[in-house]
Structure formats: structure tokens, C-alpha cells
Amino acid sequence: DNGGYEHYLLKEISEQPDTVARTLRGRVDDRFHIAHLGGLNMDARETRSFRRVKIIGCGSAYYSGQIGAQMIEELARIPADAEPASEFRYRSPVVEADTLYVAISQSGETYDTLAAVQELKRKGGRVLGIVNTVGSAIARECDGGVYLHAGPEVSVASTKAFTSTAVAFALLALHLGRVRDLSPADGRRICEGLRRLPEQIKEILTMEEQIRELAIKYADAPGMMFVGRVRGYPVAREGAQKLKEISYVHAEAYPASELKHGPLALISPELPTVAIVPDDELLDKNLTTLGEIRARHGRILMVGHRTSEQADDCVVVPKNEVELDPILLTIPLQLFAYHAAVALGRDVDKPRNLAKSVTVE
Ligand code: BG6
């Protein structure tokens, strides 16, 4: 039942204040400023023993893993990175006892992710799952994990599961941080930030008409560039992924700092840029990049926490804590891709050549 929405995708985007609240429910402890994640099946001593975190997943799950890796490094100060599950399993990875492996899957059935988990288990790796579908193959295979509780996701392109995965990673990062060196004050800051998310997502959803008009304005371009740095880079990657999978507009994501090492040659009025520009310590550097794009007559849509005269158009998103901002910055990009796809008359919920869950190799 699409609940009166024209597409499941829009329904699932619009549900996010509730789905994020469900991912958070019962898990934020305001007394000790910690996260309760009962399904991890690890005591504090074991939780402290990991020296690395390796995250695997496919497609949007992989991009949400990149957001998660950044959160874990920042809040828990454990080296963390994400990799596509298919690449991971085929390069005969070194599996170490002091690495915590995290597998991400909305469906819990993606074959490459499942096979990577099985390979890890065979080599004695400790694997947690961040999964939406309860009792799915990946959930059963893992040693423990975090369920998203986002409800069934029908549209092929992931939206609410992506957002809830990023929220689950914030909880995991808070948990790993608070058994290590994250201070109670910082723990409290993150707990309060997490609690603000559902209302802030509601606020972003009220901007839908503005974003729809921007999507129509930019959807005529043959391609788009998405740029961001550090926390903004996985957001840019997910924004580009959403646009290409449902609107079939070519989209490429780059770290903003890498533009000058190649893709700046592509910048012209025909290739607009979506720039993810949070108010963080990289703000000035990001604005400088916008100036460079502008000097090449590139059109710019900036998604951030303020307006800038360097950009042609700005979407101003409510500010949270810097570590949590990627969760909110992604949501306007979902609406942008959705309305671009609608404007171009695409089959939004079932894009050509794609399946919701890829259970074969
Ligand atoms: C893809 C879906 O094929 O599988 C994506 O189209 C999804 O939306 C990816 O991100 C991974 O799926 P899952 O279920 O493992 O998260």
C-alpha cells in the first residue's frame, strides 16, 4: 500500500521522521550518554579490544558504510573504512582477530554481502550486521548486530534504509566511543543531536516544493557532478547514485579537493555541480572550490547550512552536530533525484535494469 503517495519512493522518503525515530527508540541513554545496543552480543572488554573497523556492503549500503566509518573514526578514534562487499571478498582479505567487521544490508539477502560475511566467519572474523529485514540470511549469519526497524522498503532505490543505517552507525560510534575515550560531555552532545533528528527531517521535508523546482531546473542537464569533502563526500556519492539510478542522468561524485586533478576539465554550463557544503572546518575550502567551478561557468546547486553567493541556488538544511550532519544532508538529495526522475517521466520505483535485492552473483 503506497499510502496515497504517487510512488513508494516518495512515501519512503516522507516516512523518515518516523523510521529514524524507530531506529533510535530505546537506544539513547540520557543518563550516561551512551547507546543501548542489546544485539551486539559483546561485553565492554571485548568492545574495547578492537583496533580497526572494516565495513562492507553494496550500493547505497556501501555509501552509508562510508558515513559510518567516518563517524566511528571521529567518535571512537578507531581506524575505520568501508569497501564494496564484492571487492572485499574477491581480493582474499586478511582477516584479523582485533578487527570488528560490520556488514550492511537493507534486505539481508544481497549475495555478495552474504558471501563476504560467510568468508569472514570461515576465517574466524567477528561480524556485526546492520540489517533492516529481521531474520534475513545476513542477520542470521552475523555474530550480532543492529536492526534498523525502518519497515519494509519497496522502491528499488534505497532511501529510508540508507538514513536509518547512518543513524545506526551513529549509535554504534557512540557506543564504541563511550567504552573508550569519548567524554560524557561529547556523548551527551551526540545523544541530544540524535534526538533532534526526526524533527529536523520533518523540516527538510517541508522544503519539497523548493527542491522540486530545482530538480526541474537542473534535470535538463546531460550530466551532473556531485562534490563534497570528508563528511560530505559519501553524501555526494549517495546523491549521485540516487540521481543516476532513478533519473538515468549521468552523475559523478568526487571529493571536492580532487576536482583540480582531472574532472575540472569537464566543468562547463552543461555540467552543473551539486556541492555538499556543511558548516564545518572545511567550509572555507569548499567555498573556494565553488569559486573555481564558477570561474569555469559551471552552474552550482549548494546543499549546506547557509547560502553563498558563489552558488546559483542554495538548499539550506537544519544544522545538527558536525558528526551527524551527513544524515540530514542526504535527504534533500533524495527529493532532488525523485523529482528529477518524475520530471523526466521515469519509472521511479522500478528503474530499468535494477532489482531491489540482488541475490545472485
Ligand atoms: C541494490 C539496490 O541492487 O542493492 C540498492 O538497488 C541497494 O538500493 C543495494 O543499496 C544493496 O542492497 P541491500 O539490501 O544489501 O542493502
Side-chain angles (χ1 to χ4, degrees):
D1 163 33
N2 61 7
Y5 287 93
E6 200 180 334
H7 298 103
Y8 279 102
L9 191 71
L10 185 58
K11 170 178 182 265
E12 288 161 4
I13 292 171
S14 305
E15 276 172 359
Q16 291 179 106
D18 293 332
T19 52
V20 164
R22 286 210 296 272
T23 305
L24 290 171
R25 188 161 302 149
R27 289 171 167 168
V28 180
D29 182 322
D30 290 313
R31 188 151 156 246
F32 297 106
H33 317 306
I34 58 174
H36 288 296
L37 297 170
L40 298 186
N41 303 326
M42 285 191 303
D43 63 22
R45 189 164 302 165
E46 203 179 346
T47 308
R48 285 183 64 97
S49 70
F50 296 110
R51 297 173 59 108
R52 248 169 70 82
V53 178
K54 180 86 199 178
I55 301 163
I56 54 171
C58 297
S60 292
Y62 159 55
Y63 298 135
S64 67
Q66 278 203 310
I67 293 179
Q70 176 66 26
M71 288 171 169
I72 289 169
E73 282 217 5
E74 279 195 85
L75 295 174
R77 302 305 292 155
I78 309 173
D81 73 328
E83 185 178 345
S86 52
E87 287 288 289
F88 176 78
R89 86 184 171 97
Y90 276 113
R91 63 179 179 75
S92 187
V94 178
V95 176
E96 292 177 307
D98 57 4
T99 298
L100 175 63
Y101 295 91
V102 184
I104 307 165
S105 180
Q106 186 287 127
S107 62
E109 306 292 343
T110 298
Y111 184 77
D112 275 319
T113 311
L114 177 62
V117 171
Q118 287 165 339
E119 175 76 359
L120 280 167
K121 297 291 299 176
R122 196 181 60 72
K123 291 180 168 174
R126 164 71 100 156
V127 194
L128 296 180
I130 295 187
V131 172
N132 195 31
T133 308
V134 176
S136 54
I138 293 168
R140 278 183 279 125
E141 200 75 42
C142 289
D143 297 295
V146 184
Y147 278 123
L148 301 179
H149 302 304
E153 193 177 64
V154 175
S155 195
V156 165
S158 183
T159 52
K160 63 177 181 171
F162 177 91
T163 305
S164 279
T165 303
V167 171
F169 268 116
L171 290 164
L172 181 62
L174 173 66
H175 175 70
L176 294 172
R178 290 285 291 122
V179 297
R180 299 164 85 102
D181 297 327
L182 189 72
S183 68
D186 275 327
R188 173 188 205 142
R189 189 171 63 73
I190 297 302
C191 287
E192 289 173 357
L194 286 168
R195 288 203 184 281
R196 286 199 296 276
L197 287 173
E199 275 309 310
Q200 290 182 311
I201 296 172
K202 263 188 213 162
E203 213 178 309
I204 296 169
L205 295 174
T206 66
M207 296 154 60
E208 184 178 345
E209 185 50 30
Q210 183 209 351
I211 296 168
R212 190 179 75 88
E213 284 165 19
L214 290 169
I216 293 167
K217 175 175 168 185
Y218 285 91
D220 63 341
M224 292 193 83
M225 184 70 85
F226 284 70
V227 297
R229 296 173 77 114
V230 187
R231 302 181 194 99
Y233 176 51
V235 174
R237 294 189 87 183
E238 173 61 7
Q241 171 92 334
K242 283 285 89 71
L243 188 67
K244 61 187 138 191
E245 63 187 334
I246 60 173
S247 78
Y248 318 151
V249 172
H250 173 70
E252 194 166 357
Y254 250 89
S257 51
E258 280 285 300
L259 272 189
K260 57 183 173 299
H261 299 296
L264 202 53
L266 294 171
I267 296 296
S268 75
E270 285 71 53
L271 188 81
T273 298
V274 175
I276 315 307
V277 184
D279 263 14
D280 64 10
E281 66 281 6
L282 292 163
L283 175 66
D284 290 341
K285 290 198 180 296
N286 274 317
L287 293 177
T288 304
T289 303
L290 299 197
E292 288 162 8
I293 296 169
R294 212 178 161 73
R296 276 85 183 172
H297 309 289
R299 292 188 284 158
I300 300 170
L301 167 56
M302 169 169 147
V303 178
H305 299 121
R306 59 172 73 205
T307 58
S308 164
E309 50 200 33
Q310 300 286 13
D312 298 272
D313 295 287
C314 297
V315 173
V316 179
V317 173
K319 179 91 185 75
N320 198 299
E321 303 302 322
V322 282
E323 300 90 339
L324 304 180
D325 280 331
I327 300 167
L328 295 169
L329 290 164
T330 310
I331 290 166
L333 305 182
Q334 298 171 343
L335 285 169
F336 182 82
Y338 171 73
H339 283 293
V342 170
L344 294 166
R346 308 302 190 211
D347 190 352
V348 173
D349 285 330
K350 287 191 166 47
R352 66 185 182 200
N353 311 340
L354 298 177
K356 179 66 182 157
S357 120
V358 183
T359 54
V360 292
E361 220 179 312

